[in-house]
Amino acid sequence: MRTFLYDHPAARAVVATAMTEAGERRTQMVTDQDEAREASWRERALNAEDTLKAAHAEILTQRTRIGELLGQVSDLESEWTQEAIQRITTENTTLKRRVRQLTADNRAFDERLKAARSNLRFQDRRVADLEAQIAAPAG
């Protein structure tokens, strides 16, 4: 094949032209693929920038809200003196103790009520037995 190309300059020119065109097509194809990849990355970068901007805006909003809430907490805390806090704590402890006492009393009363009901049922049966004895003919 080489000797044919050496002997025929026109064939050699046709092969050289075909090789050049094939190289140019390959170069164009690689360039197109690179541009497509670059466009994809560019789009991803723009999307990431938009998402980042939104995240920064949300963080700023949350920080502002946290600052407002901390200010409200500080305002509420400043209204209470140490003496008032101590008094409320003492009252809270006293009320808890009272709740425990009332709960214990309630349990005791409940047990007494159950015992009284049991005694009442026993007395009802006893009365019924006595009535039955009185009503029975002597025999």
Side-chain angles (χ1 to χ4, degrees), residues 40-50:
S40 172
W41 281 105
R42 191 175 304 123
E43 184 176 336
R44 288 180 192 168
L46 291 174
N47 288 341
E49 282 181 15
D50 291 342

Side-chain angles (χ1 to χ4, degrees), residues 15 30 33 36 41 43 45 51 74 81 83 86 99 106 123 127:
V15 169
V30 169
Q33 288 175 350
W41 281 105
E43 184 176 336
T51 304
S74 178
T81 63
E83 183 179 296
Q86 182 63 37
V99 166
N106 189 27
Q123 294 299 329
V127 167

Side-chain angles (χ1 to χ4, degrees), residues 3 6 10 16 24 35 38 48 64 79 84 89 106-107 111-112 123 126 128:
T3 56
Y6 285 121
E24 288 173 0
E35 287 175 2
E38 187 176 322
T64 303
E79 293 178 11
T89 303
N106 189 27
R107 271 192 230 113
E111 290 172 7
R112 287 175 59 190
Q123 294 299 329
R126 180 78 175 125

